[in-house]
Amino acid sequence: MEGPITQATGHNNTIVAVYVDHIDIRTGWRSQNVESVGLRDVAQIGIKGLVNVTLTIETNRGRVYQLNRMALPDARRIKNTFERQKQRAGLYE
């Protein structure tokens, strides 16, 4: 299994990692809760704020993940990497 292309940490040890075909969101102590979202299932990723950034990941099924108090460069890196992977997969119209 390959490692993540990029990853970042939010508040309360919430870790988001972008892989070639999916995004993992890890929460909890020692990151024991893992939720995987495929590239096709993500509707959009948004960034809000400048200092303590909120990264919002919305899925096609109506699920919204909010990663609070993230550093701006980390949030931008996650968003840009996700968009690049989606373009490579040909999922953008």
Side-chain angles (χ1 to χ4, degrees):
M1 183 170 168
E2 292 184 31
I5 297 170
T6 188
Q7 64 183 9
T9 305
H11 183 61
N12 287 337
N13 295 329
T14 303
I15 300 169
V16 61
V18 178
Y19 292 87
V20 175
D21 59 345
H22 68 281
I23 296 175
D24 278 351
I25 301 169
R26 299 175 179 269
T27 58
W29 189 64
R30 292 190 176 179
S31 302
Q32 74 266 21
N33 303 323
V34 179
E35 293 187 48
S36 291
V37 181
L39 288 181
R40 292 182 184 264
D41 295 333
V42 176
Q44 72 176 8
I45 292 182
I47 298 173
K48 182 179 172 184
L50 292 174
V51 178
N52 289 328
V53 177
T54 300
L55 179 74
T56 305
I57 301 172
E58 296 182 30
T59 67
N60 293 330
R61 297 181 178 144
R63 183 81 193 252
V64 177
Y65 301 96
Q66 286 190 336
L67 291 95
N68 298 317
R69 293 171 50 183
M70 187 177 266
L72 182 60
D74 291 344
R76 282 185 179 160
R77 189 175 64 237
I78 293 292
K79 182 178 179 186
N80 292 337
T81 304
F82 165 76
E83 289 174 351
R84 194 173 336 118
Q85 287 304 111
K86 202 153 184 168
Q87 282 178 345
R88 283 186 184 164
L91 299 175
Y92 276 138
E93 297 175 356

